[in-house]
């Protein structure tokens, strides 16, 4: 009984490089990136002009604040756009909405005439805080979701824990804002302690996950199992060039192995096997190879003919 397996080139793309989304989604992301960059350039130009002006009054102060708002919106939007062509695009789109809401509330607060305006200014400020927390939390999550396609179990488990910590931190920050301090109430020191623990887990996952993913990616993948024999298939760690030799794994019966050893004449059985295969193919009328001559690993000085023709 014999078995032969050819080595397939490795280096396939990982799950994190999954197929991109539809063309419309990619076009939307490209347009959004261009719009964000243009907005950043325009806002930066106005900010520089305001700072270089002779007088720095209320108008210049609002222009500088507007520049900072546009910069924050652009930064978070770029984080959200990183995943809009992936399976988790809904999280990226939700983040874009939150960032746009935060920017709109901030610009309204900046350019509102507080001396003559009447209305629910407190509600506007609360909406700004909620949208800002959601925008930054989702931006944080979207950057980590770039690792969602990794197959390493430790990376996937760490990603799940870190995303949960991000959600807990966001909720615990928003609860006092939405309930006017009813949660956690007065004197509840344990609430803020739990918030601190969630924040530490969040920071730890943010720092450790990229490092862990990089290490797991550099580690060679285990050889796949042969479904027929259960033996690992030999595989190289990098793609082989065209025309590279094909490695075969042969299981020979004892009698055939003894005959091959006798044919080797004390030399390497690998060379003897190559010699037999070459002679057999020549006898069967198979055309000779056009590539470089086959080399042998260990020469056999005792043989009067080469172990492998062409060596």
């Amino acid at each position: 009984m014999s078995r032969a397996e050819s080595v397939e080139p490795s280096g396939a793309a990982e799950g994190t490089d999954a197929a991109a989304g539809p063309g419309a989604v990619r076009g939307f992301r490209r347009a959004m990136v261009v719009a964000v960059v243009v907005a950043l350039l325009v806002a930066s130009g106005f900010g520089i002009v305001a700072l270089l002006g002779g007088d720095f009054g209320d108008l210049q102060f609002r222009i500088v604040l507007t520049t900072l708002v546009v910069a924050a919106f652009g930064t978070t939007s770029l984080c959200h756009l990183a995943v809009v062509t992936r399976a988790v695009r809904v999280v990226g789109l939700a983040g874009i909405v939150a960032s746009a809401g935060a920017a709109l509330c901030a610009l309204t607060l900046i350019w509102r005439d507080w001396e003559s305006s009447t209305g629910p200014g407190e509600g506007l400020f609360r909406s700004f805080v909620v949208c800002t927390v959601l925008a930054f939390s989702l931006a944080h999550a979207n950057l980590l979701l770039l690792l969602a396609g990794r197959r390493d179990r430790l990376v996937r488990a760490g990603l799940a824990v870190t995303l949960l910590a991000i959600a807990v931190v966001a909720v615990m920050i928003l609860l006092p804002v939405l309930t006017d301090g009813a949660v956690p109430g007065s004197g509840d020191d344990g609430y803020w302690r739990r918030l601190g623990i969630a924040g530490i887990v969040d920071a730890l996952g943010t720092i450790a996950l990229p490092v862990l993913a990089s290490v797991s990616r550099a580690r060679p993948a285990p050889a796949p199992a042969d479904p027929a024999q259960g033996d690992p298939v030999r595989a190289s760690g990098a793609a082989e060039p065209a025309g590279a030799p094909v490695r075969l794994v042969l299981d020979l019966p004892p009698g055939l192995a003894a005959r091959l050893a006798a044919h080797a004449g004390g030399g390497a059985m690998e060379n003897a096997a190559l010699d037999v295969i070459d002679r057999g193919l020549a006898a069967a009328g198979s055309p000779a190879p056009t590539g470089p001559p086959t080399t042998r690993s260990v020469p056999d000085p005792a043989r009067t003919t080469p172990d492998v023709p062409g060596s």
Side-chain angles (χ1 to χ4, degrees):
M1 174 181 179
S2 66
R3 170 171 57 88
E5 296 158 340
S6 66
V7 179
E8 297 181 356
S10 60
E14 297 189 13
T16 53
D17 299 326
V25 178
R26 293 197 299 270
F28 168 75
R29 182 177 69 172
R30 189 178 300 112
M32 282 292 298
V33 170
V34 173
V36 167
V37 173
V38 171
L40 286 173
L41 292 175
V42 172
S44 299
F46 279 110
I48 292 174
V49 171
L51 290 175
L52 293 178
D55 297 330
F56 191 83
D58 181 69
L59 177 61
Q60 289 75 13
F61 180 70
R62 294 187 181 192
I63 292 176
V64 172
L65 289 181
T66 301
T67 302
L68 296 178
V69 169
V70 173
F73 168 75
T75 303
T76 56
S77 295
L78 291 177
C79 297
H80 304 316
L81 291 171
V83 298
V84 294
T85 57
R86 296 172 179 253
V88 293
R89 64 174 58 94
V90 63
V91 185
L93 296 176
I96 293 175
V97 173
S99 294
L104 181 60
C105 292
L107 294 177
T108 303
L109 290 171
I110 291 172
W111 291 99
R112 184 177 184 178
D113 188 358
W114 291 97
E115 295 181 356
S116 59
S117 297
T118 59
E122 182 179 351
L124 183 62
F125 181 77
R126 182 178 299 174
S127 300
F128 165 70
V129 173
V130 171
C131 290
T132 300
V133 172
L134 291 178
F136 279 97
S137 298
L138 290 173
H140 187 184
N142 283 326
L143 290 180
L144 292 178
L145 282 174
L146 294 175
L147 304 174
R150 296 300 178 92
R151 296 184 177 90
D152 190 282
R153 292 182 178 179
L154 187 58
V155 173
R156 296 175 69 89
L159 178 61
V161 173
T162 306
L163 292 177
L164 179 61
I166 293 174
V168 170
V169 169
V171 171
M172 295 187 72
I173 291 176
L174 291 178
L175 280 178
V177 177
L178 296 175
T179 62
D180 291 328
V183 177
S186 59
D188 189 358
D189 185 58
Y191 184 89
W192 303 110
R193 291 177 184 269
R194 289 188 290 271
L195 176 59
I197 293 173
I200 292 174
V201 175
D202 181 359
L204 177 62
T206 302
I207 296 172
L209 271 178
V211 177
L212 183 61
S214 176
V215 171
S216 65
R217 186 176 184 177
R219 196 169 50 209
D226 183 345
Q229 301 292 334
D231 297 333
V233 178
R234 298 179 185 177
S236 61
E240 297 183 5
V246 177
R247 179 172 300 176
L248 302 178
V249 181
L250 301 175
D251 294 334
L252 302 178
L256 185 58
R259 293 175 59 189
L260 185 61
H263 179 75
M269 292 185 64
E270 178 183 355
N271 294 333
L274 292 174
D275 184 23
V276 171
I277 293 174
D278 187 87
R279 292 174 188 270
L281 291 176
S286 176
T290 58
T294 309
T295 59
R296 62 183 182 224
S297 57
V298 180
D300 181 12
R303 294 180 61 85
T304 59
T305 59
D307 290 337
V308 181
S311 61

